[in-house]
Amino acid sequence: DGLQWPIVIMHGMGDFADNPLGMVPIRQQLSKHAGTYVTNIALGDGSVQDQSSEFLMLMDDEVDTFAKKVRADPKLSNGFDAIGFSQGNLIIRGYVQRYNAPPVKRFLSMHGPMVGVAGFPRCDYGLEICRLFDRLLGILAYTDIA
């Protein structure tokens, strides 16, 4: 459609929206090159709370907080493009599935765990028990039990 939407960035675990060595320069460069408003969403008040939020908040609360912050920004009222880093992808995905108002127009997932882990981490697949456990987890992964 040719319209350049504002961009919302959601950081991953261990990072924070006002990180002067990461998220701030990413936001600044993206705004400069895209020629549009770009914002980093902080889930907590201040750098320490924002950085710890993705470790300590429940995912539902993170999605709800993301939605409140997006809805509070009048520059995003007609929709926006979203970029997620790591766990930030899951927060954006939760927002799209639960709210999506204002709507996400395009979503770029940067190294996000969107489908989960492919296998049972740190298990020696030479051992029969690891192969059996992996098969069982695969069978249960997309059921109501999981």
Side-chain angles (χ1 to χ4, degrees):
D1 59 18
L3 178 65
Q4 181 60 48
W5 297 100
I7 300 170
V8 171
I9 303 173
M10 186 62 232
H11 62 81
M13 291 180 78
D15 208 343
F16 54 101
D18 291 331
N19 183 347
L21 301 176
M23 298 310 296
V24 170
I26 289 170
R27 184 196 73 221
Q28 291 169 337
Q29 287 298 311
L30 188 56
S31 180
K32 178 181 172 184
H33 291 290
T36 192
Y37 173 74
V38 179
T39 186
N40 293 327
I41 299 293
L43 297 180
D45 296 326
S47 299
V48 173
Q49 279 189 323
D50 186 30
Q51 189 172 31
S52 63
S53 66
E54 289 192 52
F55 293 99
L56 303 176
M57 288 176 77
L58 296 174
M59 182 60 70
D60 283 338
D61 295 336
E62 290 177 291
V63 171
D64 292 344
T65 300
F66 180 88
K68 287 176 190 168
K69 299 275 180 121
V70 164
R71 290 175 170 178
D73 188 334
K75 293 178 181 173
L76 305 175
S77 63
N78 293 319
F80 58 93
D81 291 338
I83 301 173
F85 289 91
S86 192
Q87 185 171 313
N89 288 291
L90 300 177
I91 295 166
I92 294 170
R93 181 178 172 189
Y95 169 83
V96 169
Q97 289 182 274
R98 185 177 293 163
Y99 297 99
N100 209 31
V104 171
K105 301 296 186 174
R106 293 175 290 207
F107 175 26
L108 176 62
S109 172
M110 302 291 291
H111 55 82
M114 299 303 276
V115 179
V117 176
F120 185 57
R122 297 188 197 98
C123 198
D124 179 357
Y125 282 84
L127 299 174
E128 180 64 20
I129 188 71
C130 289
R131 292 191 304 273
L132 288 170
F133 195 58
D134 183 62
R135 273 186 246 133
L136 176 64
L137 290 175
I139 291 167
L140 297 175
Y142 297 103
T143 66
D144 290 339
I145 295 171

